[in-house]
Amino acid sequence: MNYNKKNILHKAFEEYKIEFNKEYSSLIRDAKKLSNIEECILCGGKITSSCHSHSVPKFILNNIAFEGKVAYGKALIDNDFNDFTKGVKNSFVFRLICKECDKKVFNIYESEEVLIKFDNFANWKKQEILGSISIKTHLSHIYSKLLEHNEVGLLYPEEMKKIEGLTIRQIDIYEHRNYIDDILKYNYLLERPFEILFSILLDYKVLVACQTIMCLRYDFQNKKIFNEKDGRIENAAEYLYLVIFPLKDKTRIIFYIEKKKKGHNEGFINDFIKLEDEEKIHLLFFMLIIYSEQFYMNPLLKNKIVADKKICKLYRETIFNPVKEKYYMDLRKYSKYNNYLSKEYSYIEIK
């Protein structure tokens, strides 16, 4: 009997992939159970009913969805085992706050009208909106680190027992909690805690969405800003916030920082504000790729980016540890990469 080796290998791989996905899904479910908390992080009240908040507002994700689905940043890894394209309803939701806080804190910016009119608001109103965005951003990162911590604990329970003190992920969670506590104390009528580095309303809808933070390692002059290997609590990260919100036919982009956390970012900020608007947008996409995984794409655009070998290499070699320092060391090379926030990529033809 003649056997087709290729078919046999393909069948074996498919069976292994199915089994792997079952085990991985089970791990994620168990880690999520461990990551759910009973008390609201914001008000301290008991979470009596499930409140699943989207890290990026659901209506924003709907604006870039294809057949009801969006692709998560890790989809650029393009492996055969994990499917990072999911329905909007289940796209990175977290359960850390009560329903009352979810409505009270986040409703002030989660509307098309507010985002379109953002530049015209009084300064205190802009600050209030930025504070609300910042809180949700830190909450989503707390959940992400909590989930990772519990995944590692389930996979390597004996190794976790040997660790003295806090893990890097627990230190990150502690930092994000401190950020939230500070933001909750601001009086936006009297204070101007945030500095807007760039805000623009594009006249087209991009197919990428994010509400994330970045901790720069190097500035434009190749000066070291943050040492990610220093796990001391006093070596707290100084985050820059990036919002990319595609609307029905426009896009709101906001890039900002908490003033008292500017610290070592001053040099970068001074160089950034000298750029033209198109250059800033191009640079921000480059920074999103090398500094964050918490972004979403239209699945058709994802397929196009996956075929872009330069961008995918850039993403893969900065998302994993140890990372390639060279990509962080020269931000000026951003123009050598495609800018998928440009108008050119705002429409993808269905083939």
Side-chain angles (χ1 to χ4, degrees):
M1 184 180 293
N2 293 323
Y3 292 97
N4 186 320
K5 292 181 180 180
K6 187 175 181 180
N7 287 340
I8 291 174
L9 289 174
H10 177 74
K11 183 178 179 181
F13 174 78
E14 288 299 316
E15 290 176 352
Y16 176 75
K17 186 170 76 169
I18 291 171
E19 191 60 32
F20 173 87
N21 285 331
K22 285 181 180 178
E23 292 293 328
Y24 183 72
S25 296
S26 177
L27 171 67
I28 294 297
R29 280 196 301 272
D30 290 342
K32 284 182 177 180
K33 288 179 183 177
L34 291 173
S35 302
N36 289 335
I37 61 175
E38 300 301 320
E39 294 183 353
C40 174
I41 284 183
L42 298 184
C43 71
K46 189 173 180 61
I47 300 177
T48 56
S49 59
S50 183
C51 176
H52 293 89
S53 302
H54 283 77
S55 59
V56 171
K58 187 177 178 181
F59 82 97
I60 296 294
L61 296 179
N62 281 328
N63 287 335
I64 64 168
F66 176 68
E67 296 181 343
K69 294 184 177 182
V70 291
Y72 191 54
K74 282 186 177 179
L76 297 185
I77 299 172
D78 194 33
N79 64 37
D80 291 308
F81 292 101
N82 297 310
D83 182 10
F84 293 108
T85 299
K86 299 184 181 298
V88 168
K89 182 180 178 181
N90 299 312
S91 292
F92 202 88
V93 293
F94 58 88
R95 183 181 177 272
L96 296 175
I97 58 175
C98 64
K99 286 185 176 180
E100 290 74 18
C101 283
D102 186 65
K103 291 178 181 178
K104 182 174 68 175
V105 179
F106 304 130
N107 274 0
I108 67 169
Y109 78 90
E110 293 186 347
S111 81
E112 177 117 355
E113 183 182 7
V114 168
L115 295 171
I116 287 176
K117 293 181 177 179
F118 177 81
D119 290 329
N120 299 321
F121 289 139
N123 202 349
W124 71 266
K125 183 64 176 179
K126 290 180 184 176
Q127 296 288 326
E128 185 182 38
I129 290 170
L130 296 180
S132 179
I133 291 173
S134 302
I135 289 170
K136 176 171 269 197
T137 304
H138 286 293
L139 285 170
S140 68
H141 279 75
I142 286 175
Y143 186 76
S144 177
K145 295 299 178 183
L146 188 59
L147 197 59
E148 289 177 8
H149 175 78
N150 288 325
E151 285 175 20
V152 173
L154 290 169
L155 284 170
Y156 309 105
E158 295 305 316
E159 286 76 358
M160 290 291 284
K161 290 178 183 177
K162 298 175 185 177
I163 296 176
E164 296 180 4
L166 300 175
T167 67
I168 293 295
R169 293 178 181 86
Q170 288 174 315
I171 292 172
D172 285 343
I173 291 170
Y174 180 85
E175 285 183 4
H176 290 302
R177 287 294 298 263
N178 283 342
Y179 260 88
I180 291 173
D181 289 342
D182 281 348
I183 294 166
L184 288 172
K185 294 173 185 174
Y186 288 130
N187 183 334
Y188 299 110
L189 283 170
L190 302 176
E191 300 175 80
R192 302 291 184 266
F194 300 104
E195 181 175 332
I196 299 174
L197 307 177
F198 182 54
S199 177
I200 193 170
L201 183 65
L202 302 179
D203 63 359
Y204 59 92
K205 180 177 71 175
V206 304
L207 298 177
V208 176
C210 78
Q211 182 174 329
T212 191
I213 50 177
M214 303 173 183
C215 181
L216 301 191
R217 300 186 185 202
Y218 293 87
D219 64 14
F220 271 106
Q221 310 307 321
N222 204 17
K223 178 184 175 182
K224 186 77 170 179
I225 294 178
F226 177 72
N227 182 5
E228 69 287 347
K229 295 179 181 178
D230 186 347
R232 294 175 300 166
I233 290 176
E234 57 267 30
N235 182 44
E238 296 171 335
Y239 292 111
L240 292 148
Y241 298 84
L242 176 61
V243 169
I244 302 173
F245 284 163
L247 308 173
K248 289 179 181 177
D249 56 6
K250 301 180 187 298
T251 304
R252 168 61 68 188
I253 297 178
I254 311 173
F255 186 48
Y256 66 102
I257 192 169
E258 196 175 345
K259 286 181 180 179
K260 70 179 184 180
K261 303 286 176 65
K262 284 170 69 173
H264 300 298
N265 287 300
E266 289 274 13
F268 164 79
I269 291 170
N270 291 336
D271 287 328
F272 176 82
I273 60 179
K274 295 174 185 176
L275 299 175
E276 299 294 331
D277 285 355
E278 288 187 11
E279 293 174 319
K280 290 175 181 175
I281 294 168
H282 197 160
L283 173 61
L284 290 175
F285 178 74
F286 176 82
M287 291 169 58
L288 180 64
I289 291 295
I290 66 174
Y291 279 112
S292 181
E293 66 183 54
Q294 289 200 14
F295 60 91
Y296 297 90
M297 302 162 283
N298 171 286
L300 298 178
L301 179 68
K302 184 269 294 187
N303 293 340
K304 196 171 188 70
I305 300 177
V306 165
D308 185 334
K309 293 181 179 180
K310 286 181 67 176
I311 285 287
C312 287
K313 182 179 180 182
L314 180 69
Y315 181 77
R316 291 166 189 156
E317 294 194 355
T318 51
I319 192 175
F320 296 116
N321 287 317
V323 298
K324 296 289 182 71
E325 284 286 297
K326 64 179 181 179
Y327 294 112
Y328 301 107
M329 293 176 70
D330 199 346
L331 288 176
R332 290 168 292 186
K333 291 183 178 179
Y334 72 89
S335 60
K336 295 184 178 181
Y337 296 86
N338 286 329
N339 175 21
Y340 288 95
L341 298 180
S342 68
K343 197 166 189 175
E344 175 186 357
Y345 297 104
S346 62
Y347 175 77
I348 303 296
E349 185 177 357
I350 302 174
K351 295 182 179 179

